[in-house]
C-alpha cells in the first residue's frame, strides 16, 4: 500500500514553503482526525495566547479516516482553529465533495500558518502544491470564484473558498464548497481566519486511491446496512432538513420573533419543506458517498442568475424566516442565496437581523444608525440591505459584523436582552425551552452553542443509543439524567466529527460496533467500543483545556435570559423553562470538572491529555 492515513500538508504562507508531516500512529489512535486531531496539533504549533487573527494562529482543514471511503455518508471534512467570533476554540464541518477529492491528492489534512503578503489561492493538483495569485478573485462572491477557478482548472476540480465577508474579516464568515450548491463550514467565523491569511480559495484534484487495509471486509460490513439506513432516513430524502419546520413549530422548538414567541403555525407551513418541494424544488443534492440526498436544489434569483443553486436548510428557514417573521419562501431563498454568495453563516446572520429588527422596534436604533428608512419585522428587503452592509462592513453593518454581544455592549441599555447568544455566538434554531438538554449542550459545547455538538434533542425526540446507555427516549422537559446523557452524547458526537461522518447516520442506525469494524478494515486499528468513547471524551476535554487557557470557566457556561427565564406561553413547549443550574452542576460532576468548570488534574491524567 502506497501510504497510510495521517499525512498532513503544512503550508507556510509567509515564505511560500511547505512540508508533509506523517502523524504518529499512536497519536492518530488517540485523536483519530478532524477537529480532535486539529486541537492536538494546535497545541504542538502554538505556545501562549495567540489571538485568532494573528498570522501565527493556524488554520486547519482536516478530513477523517472514513472520508471518501465506501462508508455511507462519509463525504465530509472540517475546518478548525481559534474562533475569531468567540475567541475560544472553533470548528465547523461540511459535506459535499471537497473532502473526498482532497484525500485523493495524497493528503488527509492541511495546516495554513503565517500570512501571505498578497491575496492568493492554493492549488493541490495530484499532490503538488502551488501558490497562485488571487488578485482577480478578491472581491468575487463564492459562486463567481468557483466558476472562475473551474474555467482555469477544469470542471473536475473541487474548490473551497471564502466570500467578500471572509475577506473583510466579518466575524461570522464561513468556508464554502461545491459552488452554487453551497455546502458550508459555517459556524465560529473560520472564514475570517482564512481571510486573515489572504487566502481566497483552495483548489484540489487527485488520482490517488484512498488507503484501505481490507476492502472486501469493509464492503461486506456495509452490504446489509445501506437499505435500512436509507429507510430510516426516508423523510430526510424526501424533504431534507426543511421538512423539520412544521413539526418543530408544533412542539415549540422553532425560534419565532427573536425567540420571543412560541406559535407561528400557519406561517410555518408557508416556509416548510413540503412547500419547497411542491413549488420550488428542482432536484436533490447528494454529498459524496450519500444515498440519502437531503440537500435541496432550487433556482437562483440574484445576478448572475443561475438555474441551480443550493436551497435553504432548516436552520436558515428558521433564523432568516420565522425568527425575523419573514413568511415568504422565495424571499428567504433569496436571502439564503445572498448569504452563500457573500460567504456568511445563515444562523448568525438570521440572529443578527432579528436582533436589529428588535432594536429598531424598541427604538434603541433609528433610521440614522440603520442607514435606511426602516427594518420592521418581516421586512425581507430591509434584511437584504442589512446583510449586504454586514458583508461589506458598511455603516451599522460594520458593528454587526463583530457579532451580537459586541454590538449589544456598544449600544448599551437593554440591547443585551435582545442578543440571543453565548460568548458572542448565536444560538442555533432549536429552543432549549422545548428540549431541556439543549440548554446544557449549548452552554458547555467545546466550540460555542451548536446543536450538532451533542445532537441531544434526537434522544428526546425519538432515537436511542443502547451502546452508550440511552435505551429509551427521554422526556424532553425533565432534568433528571440529562447531565449523564449529555456527557455521553457529546463524547460520541466528538468521535463522529473526528471520523468525518455525517451525524444523520446516528438516526439511520450506525452504531459504535460498526465504527470499530470500519476503522479496523480501513486503518488496521483495534479500537473497542469503550476505546472509541474515550477518544471522544479525550478530544472534548482537550478542547476544554484549550478554552480554559483562553479564559473560559463557569462564567461562560450560560445562556441568554430570554431562553432561560422567559416563558413563551403560546407554543408547543407551553410554560416550560429549562432547569439549567441543576443540570449544569450535575454535568460538571459527571465530566470530572471543578465547580468552576475546569477539568481536574485527575481527569486530564486519566485521558492522557
Amino acid at each position: 500500500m502506497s501510504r497510510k492515513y495521517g499525512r498532513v500538508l503544512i503550508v507556510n504562507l509567509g515564505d511560500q514553503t511547505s512540508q508533509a508531516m506523517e502523524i504518529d500512529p499512536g497519536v492518530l489512535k488517540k485523536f483519530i482526525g478532524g477537529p480532535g486531531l486539529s486541537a492536538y496539533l494546535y497545541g504542538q504549533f502554538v505556545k501562549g495566547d495567540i489571538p485568532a487573527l494573528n498570522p501565527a494562529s493556524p488554520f486547519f482543514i482536516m478530513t477523517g479516516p472514513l472520508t471518501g471511503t465506501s462508508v455511507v455518508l462519509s463525504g465530509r471534512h472540517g475546518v478548525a482553529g481559534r474562533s475569531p467570533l468567540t475567541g475560544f476554540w472553533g470548528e465547523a464541518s461540511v459535506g459535499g465533495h471537497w473532502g473526498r477529492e482532497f484525500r485523493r491528492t495524497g493528503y488527509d489534512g492541511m495546516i495554513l500558518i503565517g500570512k501571505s503578503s498578497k491575496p492568493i489561492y492554493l492549488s493541490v493538483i495530484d499532490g503538488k502544491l502551488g501558490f497562485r495569485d488571487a488578485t482577480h478573485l478578491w472581491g468575487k462572491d463564492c459562486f463567481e470564484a468557483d466558476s472562475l477557478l473551474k474555467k482555469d482548472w477544469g470542471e473536475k476540480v473541487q474548490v473551497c473558498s471564502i466570500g467578500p465577508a471572509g475577506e473583510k474579516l466579518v466575524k461570522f464568515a464561513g468556508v464554502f464548497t461545491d459552488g452554487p450548491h453551497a455546502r458550508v463550514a459555517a459556524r465560529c467565523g473560520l472564514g475570517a481566519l482564512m481571510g486573515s491569511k489572504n487566502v481566497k480559495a483552495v483548489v484540489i484534484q487527485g488520482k490517488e486511491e484512498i488507503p484501505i487495509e481490507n476492502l472486501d471486509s469493509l464492503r461486506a460490513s456495509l452490504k446489509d446496512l445501506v437499505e435500512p439506513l436509507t429507510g430510516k432516513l426516508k423523510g430526510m430524502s424526501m424533504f431534507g432538513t426543511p421538512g423539520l419546520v412544521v413539526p418543530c413549530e408544533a412542539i415549540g422548538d422553532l425560534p419565532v420573533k427573536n425567540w420571543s414567541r412560541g406559535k407561528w403555525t400557519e406561517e410555518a407551513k408557508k416556509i416548510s419543506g413540503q412547500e419547497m418541494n411542491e413549488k420550488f424544488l428542482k432536484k436533490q443534492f447528494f454529498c459524496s458517498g450519500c444515498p440519502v440526498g437531503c440537500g435541496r436544489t432550487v433556482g437562483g434569483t440574484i445576478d448572475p442568475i443561475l438555474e441551480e443553486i443550493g436551497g435553504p436548510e432548516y436552520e436558515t428557514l428558521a433564523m432568516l424566516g420565522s425568527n425575523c417573521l419573514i413568511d415568504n419562501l422565495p424571499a428567504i431563498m433569496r436571502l439564503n442565496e445572498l448569504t452563500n454568495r457573500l460567504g456568511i453563516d445563515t444562523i448568525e446572520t438570521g440572529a443578527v437581523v432579528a436582533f436589529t429588527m428588535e432594536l429598531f422596534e424598541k427604538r434603541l436604533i433609528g433610521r440614522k444608525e440603520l442607514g435606511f428608512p426602516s427594518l420592521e419585522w418581516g421586512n425581507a428587503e430591509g434584511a437584504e440591505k442589512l446583510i449586504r452592509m454586514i458583508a461589506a462592513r458598511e455603516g451599522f453593518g460594520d458593528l454587526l459584523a463583530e457579532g451580537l454581544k459586541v454590538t449589544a455592549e456598544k449600544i448599551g441599555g437593554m440591547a443585551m436582552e435582545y442578543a440571543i447568544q453565548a460568548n458572542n455566538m448565536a444560538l442555533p434554531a432549536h429552543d432549549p425551552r422545548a428540549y431541556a438538554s439543549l440548554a446544557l449542550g449549548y452552554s458547555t459545547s467545546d466550540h460555542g452553542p451548536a446543536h450538532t455538538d451533542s445532537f441531544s434533542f434526537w434522544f428526546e425526540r425519538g432515537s436511542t443509543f443502547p451502546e452508550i446507555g440511552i435505551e429509551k427516549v427521554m422526556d424532553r422537559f425533565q432534568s433528571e439524567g440529562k447531565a449523564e446523557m449529555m456527557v455521553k452524547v457529546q463524547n460520541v458526537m466528538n468521535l463522529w466529527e473526528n471520523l468525518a461522518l455525517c451525524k444523520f447516520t446516528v438516526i439511520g442506525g450506525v452504531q459504535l460496533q460498526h465504527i470499530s469494524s470500519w476503522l479496523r478494515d480501513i486503518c488496521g486499528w483495534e479500537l473497542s467500543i469503550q476505546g472509541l468513547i474515550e477518544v471522544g471524551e479525550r478530544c472534548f476535554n482537550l478542547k476544554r483545556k484549550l478554552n480554559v487557557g483562553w479564559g473560559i470557566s463557569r462564567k461562560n457556561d450560560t445562556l441568554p435570559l430570554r431562553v432561560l427565564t422567559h416563558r413563551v406561553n403560546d407554543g408547543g413547549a407551553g410554560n416550560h423553562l429549562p432547569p439549567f443550574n441543576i443540570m449544569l452542576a450535575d454535568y460538571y460532576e459527571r465530566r470530572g470538572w471543578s465547580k468552576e468548570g475546569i477539568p481536574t488534574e485527575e481527569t486530564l491524567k486519566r485521558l492522557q491529555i
Side-chain angles (χ1 to χ4, degrees), residues 443-498:
S443 63
T444 62
S445 167
D446 53 25
H447 61 280
H451 61 294
T452 57
D453 186 52
S454 64
F455 229 40
S456 64
F457 59 98
W458 286 105
F459 304 107
E460 298 170 297
R461 186 186 194 112
S463 295
T464 60
F465 208 135
E467 284 182 310
I468 61 173
I470 302 176
E471 298 181 353
K472 63 179 182 178
V473 178
M474 304 184 76
D475 186 309
R476 63 190 178 113
F477 294 140
Q478 76 180 45
S479 61
E480 184 180 356
K482 290 298 170 66
E484 180 180 4
M485 182 264 270
M486 181 54 61
V487 169
K488 291 176 177 178
V489 296
Q490 282 177 333
N491 291 345
V492 170
M493 292 305 107
N494 258 255
L495 172 67
W496 248 246
E497 290 287 352
N498 296 346

Side-chain angles (χ1 to χ4, degrees), residues 210-373:
I210 294 171
I212 295 174
E213 290 278 334
N214 192 332
L215 184 57
D216 290 339
S217 177
L218 179 64
R219 287 173 173 168
S221 71
L222 291 164
K223 184 178 179 181
D224 297 326
L225 181 64
V226 175
E227 186 174 341
L229 182 143
T230 52
K232 290 177 182 177
L233 293 174
K234 185 178 180 180
M236 282 294 174
S237 183
M238 289 179 62
F239 300 110
T241 61
L244 296 172
V245 171
V246 169
C248 283
E249 189 280 336
I251 61 173
D253 188 35
L254 184 73
V256 181
K257 197 180 182 184
N258 202 23
W259 303 83
S260 67
R261 284 173 47 183
K263 193 173 180 65
W264 209 58
T265 305
E266 293 306 313
E267 295 89 343
K269 295 175 184 176
K270 296 179 183 179
I271 67 170
S272 66
Q274 291 78 1
E275 182 78 0
M276 192 184 302
N277 270 25
E278 183 178 335
K279 296 182 178 179
F280 304 105
L281 183 69
K282 288 181 175 287
K283 62 182 182 181
Q284 295 168 258
F285 177 86
F286 293 82
C287 296
S288 176
C290 178
V292 177
C294 72
R296 308 290 93 181
T297 299
V298 299
T301 63
I302 297 173
D303 288 331
I305 294 175
L306 300 173
E307 288 188 11
E308 293 184 0
I309 64 168
E313 301 283 350
Y314 164 79
E315 297 287 333
T316 305
L317 293 165
M319 298 305 289
L320 282 167
S322 60
N323 205 39
C324 299
L325 295 190
I326 297 174
D327 63 359
N328 183 293
L329 185 52
I332 301 171
M333 290 162 56
R334 180 177 173 87
L335 295 177
N336 177 66
E337 179 181 356
L338 179 64
T339 54
N340 288 339
R341 283 179 176 271
L342 297 175
I344 42 180
D345 175 14
T346 59
I347 293 177
E348 208 75 40
T349 303
V352 165
V353 172
F355 167 69
T356 307
M357 286 176 169
E358 187 154 5
L359 292 179
F360 189 80
E361 178 191 37
K362 301 292 174 58
R363 299 184 179 180
L364 288 176
I365 61 170
R367 64 172 61 191
K368 179 180 178 181
E369 293 85 357
L370 199 57
F372 53 91

Side-chain angles (χ1 to χ4, degrees), residues 149-215:
L149 287 166
K150 285 181 176 176
K151 283 181 181 178
D152 289 340
W153 292 94
E155 288 296 320
K156 291 185 179 181
V157 299
Q158 294 295 328
V159 178
C160 79
S161 69
I162 58 171
E167 299 169 12
K168 295 281 188 178
L169 308 187
V170 173
K171 295 295 178 64
F172 42 94
V175 181
F176 289 68
T177 69
D178 290 81
H181 289 283
R183 301 295 98 183
V184 191
R187 309 237 62 198
C188 300
L190 294 166
L193 179 55
M194 185 168 162
S196 73
K197 298 185 174 300
N198 272 339
V199 176
K200 177 66 175 181
V202 183
V203 181
I204 57 165
Q205 188 175 18
K207 297 178 181 177
E208 283 202 22
E209 291 295 321
I210 294 171
I212 295 174
E213 290 278 334
N214 192 332
L215 184 57

